[in-house]
Amino acid sequence: MSANLAGYLVVAAVAVAGLLLFVVAMLMRRLLSPVSPNPVRLTTYESGVDPVGLHWAQTQVRYLGFAFLYVIFAVDAVYLFPWATVLRDADLGAASLAEMGIFIAVILVGLLHAARRGLLRWDVTS
């Protein structure tokens, strides 16, 4: 077998093993889980609150802003900290510095958008 195909064989073996693990887990769940269908278990249940009424209700989306900020700072940390640990490597060069500059610019655009929408204020009364 060619050395070029050996890598593909490893990837295929890992994919097959993952698929097999998933199928076995689903079969074991089906075989071992208790089955007792009754009307109470088949009703809709959401976050500990019984459903009231027949129509969809509008929900407040004020926490979407906090999720937006979390994504900005989490992505920032995920990419900047590893890059900063290898910053002393001479092989990174100007291309890596330009890529990080673009990345930080995108993060700053997100932060400016959050500041413009008032998400960075400390008072949460509004």
Side-chain angles (χ1 to χ4, degrees):
M1 180 180 288
S2 172
N4 293 337
L5 295 178
Y8 290 113
L9 184 61
V10 170
V11 171
V14 169
V16 168
L19 185 62
L20 185 63
L21 182 65
F22 173 75
V23 169
V24 168
M26 290 297 111
L27 286 174
M28 293 304 292
R29 181 195 59 83
R30 174 73 73 165
L31 292 174
L32 297 176
S33 66
V35 179
S36 62
N38 60 36
V40 174
R41 289 189 71 198
L42 297 176
T43 60
T44 305
Y45 183 77
E46 181 68 33
S47 300
V49 178
D50 292 327
V52 177
L54 299 174
H55 303 289
W56 287 91
Q58 289 184 350
T59 58
Q60 295 181 6
V61 291
R62 66 178 138 185
Y63 295 110
L64 184 64
F66 296 114
F68 177 69
L69 288 175
Y70 172 77
V71 168
I72 288 175
F73 289 115
V75 169
D76 187 20
V78 164
Y79 286 109
L80 281 179
F81 288 142
W83 180 75
T85 59
V86 295
L87 188 59
R88 295 182 185 149
D89 189 10
D91 293 336
L92 287 176
S96 177
L97 186 62
E99 290 171 357
M100 271 303 138
I102 293 169
F103 175 74
I104 291 172
V106 169
I107 294 295
L108 286 176
V109 167
L111 284 173
L112 289 174
H113 175 70
R116 189 185 60 148
R117 294 199 49 163
L119 295 175
L120 300 178
R121 290 188 319 227
W122 283 99
D123 60 340
V124 252
T125 57
S126 59

